PDB file of all heavy atoms in Angstrom:
ATOM      1  N   ASN A1249     117.635 132.281  88.261  1.00 97.00           N
ATOM      2  CA  ASN A1249     117.006 131.128  88.926  1.00 97.00           C
ATOM      3  C   ASN A1249     117.525 129.794  88.390  1.00 97.00           C
ATOM      4  O   ASN A1249     117.735 128.850  89.149  1.00 97.00           O
ATOM      5  CB  ASN A1249     115.485 131.208  88.780  1.00 97.00           C
ATOM      6  CG  ASN A1249     114.882 132.269  89.688  1.00 97.00           C
ATOM      7  OD1 ASN A1249     115.331 132.462  90.809  1.00 97.00           O
ATOM      8  ND2 ASN A1249     113.877 132.971  89.201  1.00 97.00           N
ATOM      9  N   ASN A1250     117.747 129.736  87.077  1.00 97.00           N
ATOM     10  CA  ASN A1250     118.197 128.477  86.472  1.00 97.00           C
ATOM     11  C   ASN A1250     119.662 128.183  86.740  1.00 97.00           C
ATOM     12  O   ASN A1250     120.069 127.020  86.775  1.00 97.00           O
ATOM     13  CB  ASN A1250     117.959 128.486  84.956  1.00 97.00           C
ATOM     14  CG  ASN A1250     116.484 128.426  84.609  1.00 97.00           C
ATOM     15  OD1 ASN A1250     115.655 128.035  85.430  1.00 97.00           O
ATOM     16  ND2 ASN A1250     116.131 128.844  83.406  1.00 97.00           N
ATOM     17  N   MET A1251     120.474 129.235  86.904  1.00 97.00           N
ATOM     18  CA  MET A1251     121.911 129.020  87.074  1.00 97.00           C
ATOM     19  C   MET A1251     122.364 129.212  88.531  1.00 97.00           C
ATOM     20  O   MET A1251     122.884 128.286  89.136  1.00 97.00           O
ATOM     21  CB  MET A1251     122.694 129.981  86.158  1.00 97.00           C
ATOM     22  CG  MET A1251     122.365 129.810  84.699  1.00 97.00           C
ATOM     23  SD  MET A1251     123.018 128.292  83.997  1.00 97.00           S
ATOM     24  CE  MET A1251     124.419 128.930  83.132  1.00 97.00           C
ATOM     25  N   LEU A1252     122.135 130.396  89.090  1.00 98.00           N
ATOM     26  CA  LEU A1252     122.653 130.659  90.440  1.00 98.00           C
ATOM     27  C   LEU A1252     121.916 129.847  91.499  1.00 98.00           C
ATOM     28  O   LEU A1252     122.540 129.204  92.345  1.00 98.00           O
ATOM     29  CB  LEU A1252     122.568 132.151  90.778  1.00 98.00           C
ATOM     30  CG  LEU A1252     123.502 133.096  90.017  1.00 98.00           C
ATOM     31  CD1 LEU A1252     123.400 134.511  90.582  1.00 98.00           C
ATOM     32  CD2 LEU A1252     124.950 132.621  90.069  1.00 98.00           C
ATOM     33  N   LEU A1253     120.592 129.881  91.464  1.00 98.00           N
ATOM     34  CA  LEU A1253     119.828 129.135  92.467  1.00 98.00           C
ATOM     35  C   LEU A1253     120.100 127.635  92.359  1.00 98.00           C
ATOM     36  O   LEU A1253     120.305 126.951  93.371  1.00 98.00           O
ATOM     37  CB  LEU A1253     118.326 129.415  92.317  1.00 98.00           C
ATOM     38  CG  LEU A1253     117.400 128.682  93.280  1.00 98.00           C
ATOM     39  CD1 LEU A1253     117.742 128.983  94.738  1.00 98.00           C
ATOM     40  CD2 LEU A1253     115.937 129.038  93.017  1.00 98.00           C
ATOM     41  N   THR A1254     120.145 127.112  91.136  1.00 98.00           N
ATOM     42  CA  THR A1254     120.411 125.673  90.944  1.00 98.00           C
ATOM     43  C   THR A1254     121.823 125.338  91.414  1.00 98.00           C
ATOM     44  O   THR A1254     122.045 124.283  92.024  1.00 98.00           O
ATOM     45  CB  THR A1254     120.212 125.271  89.466  1.00 98.00           C
ATOM     46  OG1 THR A1254     118.954 125.782  89.016  1.00 98.00           O
ATOM     47  CG2 THR A1254     120.199 123.763  89.303  1.00 98.00           C
ATOM     48  N   ALA A1255     122.770 126.236  91.166  1.00 98.00           N
ATOM     49  CA  ALA A1255     124.149 125.999  91.620  1.00 98.00           C
ATOM     50  C   ALA A1255     124.225 125.978  93.147  1.00 98.00           C
ATOM     51  O   ALA A1255     124.936 125.159  93.737  1.00 98.00           O
ATOM     52  CB  ALA A1255     125.078 127.077  91.062  1.00 98.00           C
ATOM     53  N   GLU A1256     123.474 126.882  93.789  1.00 98.00           N
ATOM     54  CA  GLU A1256     123.456 126.911  95.263  1.00 98.00           C
ATOM     55  C   GLU A1256     122.884 125.606  95.809  1.00 98.00           C
ATOM     56  O   GLU A1256     123.427 125.033  96.762  1.00 98.00           O
ATOM     57  CB  GLU A1256     122.611 128.100  95.737  1.00 98.00           C
ATOM     58  CG  GLU A1256     123.258 129.453  95.491  1.00 98.00           C
ATOM     59  CD  GLU A1256     122.269 130.618  95.499  1.00 98.00           C
ATOM     60  OE1 GLU A1256     121.080 130.399  95.802  1.00 98.00           O
ATOM     61  OE2 GLU A1256     122.683 131.750  95.190  1.00 98.00           O
ATOM     62  N   LEU A1257     121.793 125.144  95.207  1.00 98.00           N
ATOM     63  CA  LEU A1257     121.177 123.886  95.648  1.00 98.00           C
ATOM     64  C   LEU A1257     122.125 122.711  95.409  1.00 98.00           C
ATOM     65  O   LEU A1257     122.266 121.819  96.253  1.00 98.00           O
ATOM     66  CB  LEU A1257     119.854 123.655  94.911  1.00 98.00           C
ATOM     67  CG  LEU A1257     118.693 124.560  95.332  1.00 98.00           C
ATOM     68  CD1 LEU A1257     117.540 124.459  94.343  1.00 98.00           C
ATOM     69  CD2 LEU A1257     118.207 124.209  96.738  1.00 98.00           C
ATOM     70  N   TYR A1258     122.807 122.711  94.265  1.00 98.00           N
ATOM     71  CA  TYR A1258     123.766 121.644  93.948  1.00 98.00           C
ATOM     72  C   TYR A1258     124.867 121.604  95.011  1.00 98.00           C
ATOM     73  O   TYR A1258     125.196 120.539  95.547  1.00 98.00           O
ATOM     74  CB  TYR A1258     124.377 121.889  92.557  1.00 98.00           C
ATOM     75  CG  TYR A1258     125.464 120.897  92.195  1.00 98.00           C
ATOM     76  CD1 TYR A1258     125.178 119.776  91.404  1.00 98.00           C
ATOM     77  CD2 TYR A1258     126.775 121.065  92.650  1.00 98.00           C
ATOM     78  CE1 TYR A1258     126.168 118.861  91.088  1.00 98.00           C
ATOM     79  CE2 TYR A1258     127.769 120.154  92.345  1.00 98.00           C
ATOM     80  CZ  TYR A1258     127.471 119.056  91.558  1.00 98.00           C
ATOM     81  OH  TYR A1258     128.456 118.142  91.254  1.00 98.00           O
ATOM     82  N   LEU A1259     125.418 122.777  95.300  1.00 97.00           N
ATOM     83  CA  LEU A1259     126.515 122.853  96.261  1.00 97.00           C
ATOM     84  C   LEU A1259     126.074 122.351  97.638  1.00 97.00           C
ATOM     85  O   LEU A1259     126.790 121.607  98.306  1.00 97.00           O
ATOM     86  CB  LEU A1259     126.985 124.312  96.362  1.00 97.00           C
ATOM     87  CG  LEU A1259     128.345 124.549  96.994  1.00 97.00           C
ATOM     88  CD1 LEU A1259     129.442 123.913  96.161  1.00 97.00           C
ATOM     89  CD2 LEU A1259     128.599 126.038  97.144  1.00 97.00           C
ATOM     90  N   GLN A1260     124.864 122.759  98.052  1.00 97.00           N
ATOM     91  CA  GLN A1260     124.354 122.380  99.374  1.00 97.00           C
ATOM     92  C   GLN A1260     124.058 120.896  99.507  1.00 97.00           C
ATOM     93  O   GLN A1260     124.268 120.313 100.561  1.00 97.00           O
ATOM     94  CB  GLN A1260     123.042 123.122  99.657  1.00 97.00           C
ATOM     95  CG  GLN A1260     123.216 124.570 100.010  1.00 97.00           C
ATOM     96  CD  GLN A1260     121.917 125.343  99.944  1.00 97.00           C
ATOM     97  OE1 GLN A1260     121.940 126.536  99.968  1.00 97.00           O
ATOM     98  NE2 GLN A1260     120.775 124.679  99.835  1.00 97.00           N
ATOM     99  N   TRP A1261     123.511 120.297  98.444  1.00 98.00           N
ATOM    100  CA  TRP A1261     122.950 118.954  98.574  1.00 98.00           C
ATOM    101  C   TRP A1261     123.643 117.873  97.732  1.00 98.00           C
ATOM    102  O   TRP A1261     123.355 116.698  97.902  1.00 98.00           O
ATOM    103  CB  TRP A1261     121.462 118.975  98.234  1.00 98.00           C
ATOM    104  CG  TRP A1261     120.676 119.816  99.181  1.00 98.00           C
ATOM    105  CD1 TRP A1261     120.192 121.073  98.971  1.00 98.00           C
ATOM    106  CD2 TRP A1261     120.286 119.478 100.518  1.00 98.00           C
ATOM    107  NE1 TRP A1261     119.524 121.539 100.086  1.00 98.00           N
ATOM    108  CE2 TRP A1261     119.562 120.574 101.052  1.00 98.00           C
ATOM    109  CE3 TRP A1261     120.466 118.335 101.330  1.00 98.00           C
ATOM    110  CZ2 TRP A1261     119.037 120.571 102.341  1.00 98.00           C
ATOM    111  CZ3 TRP A1261     119.937 118.346 102.615  1.00 98.00           C
ATOM    112  CH2 TRP A1261     119.229 119.447 103.104  1.00 98.00           C
ATOM    113  N   CYS A1262     124.558 118.287  96.826  1.00 97.00           N
ATOM    114  CA  CYS A1262     125.211 117.288  95.972  1.00 97.00           C
ATOM    115  C   CYS A1262     126.725 117.247  96.151  1.00 97.00           C
ATOM    116  O   CYS A1262     127.369 116.306  95.694  1.00 97.00           O
ATOM    117  CB  CYS A1262     124.891 117.557  94.492  1.00 97.00           C
ATOM    118  SG  CYS A1262     123.121 117.519  94.124  1.00 97.00           S
ATOM    119  N   ASP A1263     127.303 118.274  96.772  1.00 96.00           N
ATOM    120  CA  ASP A1263     128.737 118.249  97.056  1.00 96.00           C
ATOM    121  C   ASP A1263     128.927 117.582  98.417  1.00 96.00           C
ATOM    122  O   ASP A1263     128.553 118.128  99.456  1.00 96.00           O
ATOM    123  CB  ASP A1263     129.297 119.675  97.073  1.00 96.00           C
ATOM    124  CG  ASP A1263     130.777 119.697  97.421  1.00 96.00           C
ATOM    125  OD1 ASP A1263     131.570 119.095  96.673  1.00 96.00           O
ATOM    126  OD2 ASP A1263     131.139 120.296  98.459  1.00 96.00           O
ATOM    127  N   ASP A1264     129.512 116.391  98.398  1.00 96.00           N
ATOM    128  CA  ASP A1264     129.530 115.543  99.598  1.00 96.00           C
ATOM    129  C   ASP A1264     130.148 116.207 100.829  1.00 96.00           C
ATOM    130  O   ASP A1264     129.638 116.059 101.944  1.00 96.00           O
ATOM    131  CB  ASP A1264     130.248 114.218  99.297  1.00 96.00           C
ATOM    132  CG  ASP A1264     129.428 113.352  98.348  1.00 96.00           C
ATOM    133  OD1 ASP A1264     128.201 113.568  98.275  1.00 96.00           O
ATOM    134  OD2 ASP A1264     130.010 112.494  97.660  1.00 96.00           O
ATOM    135  N   VAL A1265     131.242 116.935 100.639  1.00 96.00           N
ATOM    136  CA  VAL A1265     131.908 117.568 101.791  1.00 96.00           C
ATOM    137  C   VAL A1265     131.002 118.636 102.398  1.00 96.00           C
ATOM    138  O   VAL A1265     130.839 118.725 103.624  1.00 96.00           O
ATOM    139  CB  VAL A1265     133.263 118.191 101.360  1.00 96.00           C
ATOM    140  CG1 VAL A1265     133.942 118.834 102.565  1.00 96.00           C
ATOM    141  CG2 VAL A1265     134.163 117.136 100.753  1.00 96.00           C
ATOM    142  N   THR A1266     130.379 119.462 101.523  1.00 97.00           N
ATOM    143  CA  THR A1266     129.474 120.515 102.012  1.00 97.00           C
ATOM    144  C   THR A1266     128.262 119.910 102.704  1.00 97.00           C
ATOM    145  O   THR A1266     127.822 120.401 103.754  1.00 97.00           O
ATOM    146  CB  THR A1266     129.020 121.414 100.837  1.00 97.00           C
ATOM    147  OG1 THR A1266     130.188 121.923 100.178  1.00 97.00           O
ATOM    148  CG2 THR A1266     128.173 122.578 101.314  1.00 97.00           C
ATOM    149  N   VAL A1267     127.733 118.834 102.123  1.00 97.00           N
ATOM    150  CA  VAL A1267     126.576 118.153 102.715  1.00 97.00           C
ATOM    151  C   VAL A1267     126.903 117.700 104.140  1.00 97.00           C
ATOM    152  O   VAL A1267     126.150 117.955 105.082  1.00 97.00           O
ATOM    153  CB  VAL A1267     126.155 116.929 101.865  1.00 97.00           C
ATOM    154  CG1 VAL A1267     125.155 116.055 102.613  1.00 97.00           C
ATOM    155  CG2 VAL A1267     125.544 117.383 100.544  1.00 97.00           C
ATOM    156  N   GLU A1268     128.054 117.059 104.291  1.00 97.00           N
ATOM    157  CA  GLU A1268     128.423 116.485 105.585  1.00 97.00           C
ATOM    158  C   GLU A1268     128.777 117.552 106.627  1.00 97.00           C
ATOM    159  O   GLU A1268     128.370 117.473 107.784  1.00 97.00           O
ATOM    160  CB  GLU A1268     129.610 115.533 105.396  1.00 97.00           C
ATOM    161  CG  GLU A1268     129.889 114.698 106.629  1.00 97.00           C
ATOM    162  CD  GLU A1268     131.026 113.715 106.381  1.00 97.00           C
ATOM    163  OE1 GLU A1268     131.186 113.231 105.242  1.00 97.00           O
ATOM    164  OE2 GLU A1268     131.756 113.455 107.346  1.00 97.00           O
ATOM    165  N   GLU A1269     129.526 118.565 106.190  1.00 97.00           N
ATOM    166  CA  GLU A1269     130.049 119.536 107.153  1.00 97.00           C
ATOM    167  C   GLU A1269     129.110 120.709 107.429  1.00 97.00           C
ATOM    168  O   GLU A1269     129.158 121.305 108.493  1.00 97.00           O
ATOM    169  CB  GLU A1269     131.410 120.061 106.676  1.00 97.00           C
ATOM    170  CG  GLU A1269     132.478 118.980 106.688  1.00 97.00           C
ATOM    171  CD  GLU A1269     133.873 119.556 106.532  1.00 97.00           C
ATOM    172  OE1 GLU A1269     134.076 120.746 106.819  1.00 97.00           O
ATOM    173  OE2 GLU A1269     134.758 118.794 106.111  1.00 97.00           O
ATOM    174  N   ILE A1270     128.274 121.065 106.453  1.00 97.00           N
ATOM    175  CA  ILE A1270     127.423 122.248 106.616  1.00 97.00           C
ATOM    176  C   ILE A1270     125.935 121.927 106.530  1.00 97.00           C
ATOM    177  O   ILE A1270     125.170 122.239 107.436  1.00 97.00           O
ATOM    178  CB  ILE A1270     127.780 123.329 105.553  1.00 97.00           C
ATOM    179  CG1 ILE A1270     129.189 123.871 105.811  1.00 97.00           C
ATOM    180  CG2 ILE A1270     126.764 124.466 105.569  1.00 97.00           C
ATOM    181  CD1 ILE A1270     129.686 124.845 104.748  1.00 97.00           C
ATOM    182  N   THR A1271     125.535 121.309 105.406  1.00 98.00           N
ATOM    183  CA  THR A1271     124.102 121.213 105.105  1.00 98.00           C
ATOM    184  C   THR A1271     123.332 120.371 106.117  1.00 98.00           C
ATOM    185  O   THR A1271     122.352 120.845 106.698  1.00 98.00           O
ATOM    186  CB  THR A1271     123.883 120.663 103.681  1.00 98.00           C
ATOM    187  OG1 THR A1271     124.686 121.415 102.764  1.00 98.00           O
ATOM    188  CG2 THR A1271     122.423 120.777 103.283  1.00 98.00           C
ATOM    189  N   HIS A1272     123.759 119.135 106.320  1.00 97.00           N
ATOM    190  CA  HIS A1272     123.019 118.262 107.248  1.00 97.00           C
ATOM    191  C   HIS A1272     122.989 118.814 108.675  1.00 97.00           C
ATOM    192  O   HIS A1272     121.915 118.866 109.288  1.00 97.00           O
ATOM    193  CB  HIS A1272     123.580 116.839 107.210  1.00 97.00           C
ATOM    194  CG  HIS A1272     123.042 116.027 106.071  1.00 97.00           C
ATOM    195  ND1 HIS A1272     123.212 114.659 105.950  1.00 97.00           N
ATOM    196  CD2 HIS A1272     122.312 116.381 104.986  1.00 97.00           C
ATOM    197  CE1 HIS A1272     122.625 114.224 104.841  1.00 97.00           C
ATOM    198  NE2 HIS A1272     122.085 115.248 104.237  1.00 97.00           N
TER     199      HIS A1272
END
């Protein structure tokens, strides 16, 4: 929970390219 789940959330909401192309 502390590593994998947090990494998934980081990738979805803090990586700008992923945020723009996938998450939003």
Side-chain angles (χ1 to χ4, degrees):
N1249 286 323
N1250 290 341
M1251 301 288 258
L1252 291 186
L1253 179 58
T1254 311
E1256 289 160 6
L1257 288 168
Y1258 175 97
L1259 197 64
Q1260 285 166 193
W1261 297 103
C1262 301
D1263 178 61
D1264 291 338
V1265 180
T1266 305
V1267 168
E1268 191 177 327
E1269 293 193 22
I1270 293 175
T1271 310
H1272 278 192

